[in-house]
């Protein structure tokens, strides 16, 4: 039996691969693990059956036999642990790769998401003009620091790891806003990640969901 993940039935990103099922699909593709996808509506995500999998009523989730996981970071880590392709064999190398996964999720992603969400949801609020410079600076600060660390390296720790998958996955979501172009080495890093065949397969699979839904609607 293949593991089953969940993804949006109708992703608000209209097939741009910005939702967090993308990183789970990508990890599964990197390790060559076939998987099934159960598409859920926003309404279904808040029903007891889905809440039993994801207490916060979100995608992605992951089910494999008796094991049910939520949180994209935990799911990618689980996949990486079960297959050799995404984590180095030596303990120190594994620890560094896992450190970059945490850095992506707990240090880099929050300021990027907060900046993006404010731009989407708070433009008409009275506090927007005052708050936005602070959010812009917080986002640029982590990007500046990450850019300085990456330098001209291809990946964060030599060979591509789950740490790069998570970091590039996080940065990818900020690409449409244009902010990555201010850091050419980060833009090139994300482009390298996007060029990986596993990324391409994952992207095509999530895009196919949007295309099928559009075709069914006749849009
Ligand atoms: N910490 C969790 C994880 O990493 O798995 C966060 C999961 C999460 O945020 N899931 C979102 C969700 O289910 C989808 S990815 N939201 C529904 C809800 O909370 O009710 C976030 C997302 C959504 C849409 C876009 N987009 O349209 O561009 C991008 C990212």
């Amino acid at each position: 039996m293949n593991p089953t993940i969940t993804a949006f039935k109708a992703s608000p990103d209209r097939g741009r691969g910005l939702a967090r099922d993308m990183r789970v699909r990508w990890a599964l593709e990197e390790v060559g693990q076939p998987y099934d996808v159960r598409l859920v509506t926003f309404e279904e995500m808040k029903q007891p059956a889905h809440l039993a999998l994801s207490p916060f009523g979100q995608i992605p989730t992951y089910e494999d036999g008796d094991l049910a996981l939520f949180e994209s970071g935990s799911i990618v880590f689980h996949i990486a642990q079960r297959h050799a392709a995404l984590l180095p064999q030596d303990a120190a190398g594994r620890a560094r790769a896992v450190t970059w996964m945490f850095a992506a999720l707990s240090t880099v992603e929050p300021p990027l998401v907060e900046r993006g969400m404010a731009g989407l949801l708070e433009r008409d609020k009275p506090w927007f003009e005052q708050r936005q410079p602070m959010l812009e600076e917080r986002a640029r600060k982590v990007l500046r620091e990450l850019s300085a660390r990456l330098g001209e390296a291809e990946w964060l720790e030599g060979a591509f790891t789950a740490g790069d998958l998570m970091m590039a996955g996080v940065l990818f979501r900020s690409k449409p806003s244009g902010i990555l172009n201010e850091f050419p080495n980060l833009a090139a890093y994300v482009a390298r990640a996007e060029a990986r065949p596993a990324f391409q397969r994952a992207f095509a699979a999530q895009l196919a969901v949007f295309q099928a839904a559009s075709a069914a609607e006749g849009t």
Side-chain angles (χ1 to χ4, degrees):
M1 281 274 283
N2 292 338
T4 299
I5 68 166
T6 52
F8 283 135
K9 187 171 264 178
S11 180
D13 73 4
R14 300 178 62 81
R16 288 187 298 163
L18 304 179
R20 290 182 174 94
D21 60 297
M22 178 61 202
R23 50 186 75 157
V24 173
R25 292 175 183 271
W26 183 12
L28 288 162
E29 293 289 351
E30 288 283 352
V31 302
Q33 170 64 58
Y35 61 99
D36 298 323
V37 182
R38 188 168 64 252
L39 300 175
V40 289
T41 63
F42 276 88
E43 199 184 344
E44 285 164 346
M45 285 193 289
K46 308 305 172 195
Q47 299 301 314
H50 189 80
L51 289 171
L53 297 172
S54 165
F56 307 109
Q58 295 183 317
I59 60 101
T61 60
Y62 172 100
E63 294 155 82
D64 191 10
D66 291 341
L67 178 67
L69 296 175
F70 60 99
E71 287 296 331
S72 59
S74 158
I75 298 169
V76 170
F77 182 53
H78 174 73
I79 295 164
Q81 275 189 307
R82 285 170 52 95
H83 303 267
L86 284 173
L87 287 177
Q89 291 304 302
D90 64 296
R94 288 173 88 86
R96 281 196 299 273
V98 172
T99 298
W100 282 115
M101 291 184 67
F102 275 91
L105 294 172
S106 64
T107 301
V108 177
E109 185 165 53
L112 295 183
V113 168
E114 205 176 356
R115 168 185 177 268
M117 294 305 279
L120 276 178
L121 303 176
E122 296 183 353
R123 273 189 194 281
D124 58 341
K125 304 293 185 217
W127 61 81
F128 179 77
E129 293 296 335
Q130 277 192 314
R131 188 164 175 265
Q132 195 62 13
M134 177 195 70
L135 298 183
E136 293 288 345
E137 176 46 27
R138 279 190 189 161
R140 281 181 178 79
K141 178 177 183 294
V142 288
L143 294 178
R144 242 184 345 260
E145 291 164 345
L146 179 64
S147 169
R149 170 54 75 99
L150 180 67
E152 295 311 309
E154 187 177 17
W155 305 116
L156 289 163
E157 292 287 341
F160 181 85
T161 71
D164 293 297
L165 186 149
M166 199 53 78
M167 189 64 79
V170 163
L171 297 179
F172 178 75
R173 182 171 169 188
S174 287
K175 203 178 136 185
S177 77
I179 194 171
L180 286 187
N181 296 331
E182 297 172 29
F183 305 90
N185 67 334
L186 295 184
Y189 172 70
V190 173
R192 274 193 296 281
E194 286 179 74
R196 293 178 71 82
F199 181 100
Q200 301 274 320
R201 290 193 294 275
F203 188 88
Q206 64 77 38
L207 178 60
V209 173
F210 170 69
Q211 289 171 332
S214 301
E217 281 172 18
T219 57

